[in-house]
């Protein structure tokens, strides 16, 4: 891991910024965090660019206009390579974690991307050691559990105030992940609603229409249908809606430096328009 100064105080597991009046919308960015504590003890020589390659860099900045329109913002503070907040806390990797021999891993975890990842976003080993089970459980208690307790509380508060709660879980996807035949650029946006099970069809339609009005290519549930957060929060029959949005990093990011790319201003303006359309549109997604 690249050398660098450690902060004198650790950031919180998450940050909540809420409007004065409770909103039915919660905008979450679980993977924007950049803090990697010393106890991670990543592989010797691992470059910072690889360590951070799975982050949704700058997504928290893109969605900040949601606060102006009344959404509550929830942003993860710690790096995704330390703990992935969009994974089931039971999704542990027996290859990485000692004491789990014989345990069957999910396909994503077997590929190296469980709740505590084994690989960087660009496919490099994060560790030159195995992790102890208690070490991993400590990370979950320290970061994962508080974040999801906060999200649960925000969703319940929204439902109590409005009779429904709407989670928009914002993410980014590497441009390489969606390229087509011959390297052609893939979709600009992927909407994940767990194949229609995590939110009302009206929410998905409204988002798709807003993004397509920008001239952006929109895909539905391919290759991302929504992660663990969307799965557990999306209960539309009970008034809890959850949709995952993946933005192609080619729209806004220099993927080598994780700094704003040449498309930043255009993308930020577009996301602001989508947020405005969503939050000022007709109220109500729950149909009884």
């Amino acid at each position: 891991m690249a050398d660098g100064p450690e902060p004198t105080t650790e950031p919180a597991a998450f940050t909540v910024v809420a409007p004065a009046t409770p909103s039915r919308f919660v905008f979450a960015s679980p993977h924007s965090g950049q803090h990697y504590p010393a106890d991670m003890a990543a592989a010797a020589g691992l470059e910072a660019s690889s360590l951070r390659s799975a982050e949704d860099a700058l997504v928290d900045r893109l969605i900040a206009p949601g606060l102006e329109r009344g959404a509550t913002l929830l942003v993860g503070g710690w790096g995704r390579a330390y703990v992935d907040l969009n994974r089931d806390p039971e999704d542990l990797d027996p290859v990485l974690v000692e004491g789990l021999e014989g345990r069957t891993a999910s396909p994503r975890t077997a590929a190296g991307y469980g709740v505590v990842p084994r690989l960087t976003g660009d496919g490099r080993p994060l560790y030159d050691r195995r992790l102890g089970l208690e070490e991993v459980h400590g990370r979950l208690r320290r970061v994962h559990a508080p974040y999801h307790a906060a999200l649960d509380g925000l969703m319940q508060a929204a439902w109590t105030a409005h009779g429904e709660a709407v989670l928009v879980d914002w993410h980014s996807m590497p441009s390489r992940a969606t390229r087509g035949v011959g390297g052609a650029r893939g979709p600009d946006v992927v909407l994940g609603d767990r194949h229609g099970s995590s939110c009302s069809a009206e929410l998905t339609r409204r988002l798709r229409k807003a993004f397509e009005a920008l001239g952006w290519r929109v895909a539905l549930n391919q290759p991302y249908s929504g992660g663990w957060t969307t799965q557990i929060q999306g209960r539309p029959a009970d008034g809890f809606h959850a949709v995952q949005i993946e933005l192609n990093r080619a729209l806004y990011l220099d993927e080598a430096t994780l700094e704003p790319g040449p498309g930043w201003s255009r993308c930020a303006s577009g996301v602001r328009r989508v947020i405005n359309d969503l939050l000022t549109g007709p109220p109500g997604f729950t149909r009884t």
Side-chain angles (χ1 to χ4, degrees):
M1 177 176 171
D3 293 333
E6 279 291 314
T8 55
T9 59
E10 291 187 337
F14 60 89
T15 300
V16 174
V17 186
T21 303
S23 172
R24 65 194 174 109
F25 285 95
V26 177
F27 281 11
S29 178
H31 295 154
S32 291
Q34 301 178 31
H35 177 62
Y36 297 91
D39 68 16
M40 181 174 178
L46 182 66
E47 295 181 355
S49 57
S50 285
L51 179 69
R52 298 185 58 199
S53 58
E55 286 179 17
D56 293 334
L58 307 181
V59 166
D60 54 335
R61 285 174 53 182
L62 288 174
I63 68 172
L67 183 65
E68 301 167 12
R69 291 297 183 183
T72 298
L73 306 185
L74 172 65
V75 178
W78 292 47
R80 185 180 184 182
Y82 188 71
V83 171
D84 191 331
L85 296 172
N86 198 28
R87 296 284 183 269
D88 186 331
E90 296 297 322
D91 209 357
L92 302 177
D93 187 344
V95 175
L96 176 65
V97 183
E98 295 175 340
L100 298 178
E101 289 74 11
R103 180 167 175 166
T104 301
S106 70
R108 188 174 295 276
T109 297
Y113 300 103
V115 65
V116 175
R118 174 166 33 96
L119 301 177
T120 65
D122 55 7
R124 292 173 171 79
L126 275 164
Y127 303 95
D128 47 19
R129 64 188 180 96
R130 297 186 74 197
L131 307 186
L133 186 57
E134 183 52 39
E135 177 182 3
V136 169
H137 285 162
R139 294 188 188 190
L140 299 178
R141 289 192 299 267
R142 191 179 187 185
V143 182
H144 193 283
Y147 176 89
H148 283 281
L151 178 56
D152 288 343
L154 294 172
M155 292 292 282
Q156 186 60 51
W159 185 89
T160 299
H162 299 278
E164 72 173 6
V166 182
L167 170 65
V168 184
D169 208 37
W170 295 83
H171 298 260
S172 70
M173 53 189 177
S175 57
R176 68 178 184 278
T178 59
R179 287 186 188 131
V181 177
R185 181 165 151 185
D188 298 305
V189 180
V190 177
L191 302 178
D193 64 4
R194 307 287 298 183
H195 302 282
S197 68
S198 68
C199 68
S200 99
E202 173 61 22
L203 175 57
T204 305
R205 280 196 297 266
R206 195 181 297 182
L207 284 166
R208 183 166 200 162
K209 181 179 178 181
F211 279 115
E212 288 181 340
L214 303 174
W216 293 1
R217 296 178 295 275
V218 180
L220 182 60
N221 292 311
Q222 293 295 335
Y224 306 104
S225 64
W228 184 72
T229 302
T230 312
Q231 177 184 344
I232 62 168
Q233 293 293 342
R235 307 184 303 279
D238 299 326
F240 292 86
H241 302 267
V243 63
Q244 180 174 292
I245 297 177
E246 297 274 357
L247 300 173
N248 193 324
R249 293 175 190 166
L251 289 170
Y252 72 93
L253 189 69
D254 181 327
E255 294 182 80
T257 65
L258 302 184
E259 296 294 332
W264 171 265
S265 294
R266 179 177 179 271
C267 181
S269 177
V271 170
R272 179 184 287 272
R273 285 177 56 188
V274 170
I275 289 172
N276 183 69
D277 289 348
L278 178 63
L279 271 62
T280 62
F285 296 106
T286 300
R287 301 290 183 258
T288 57

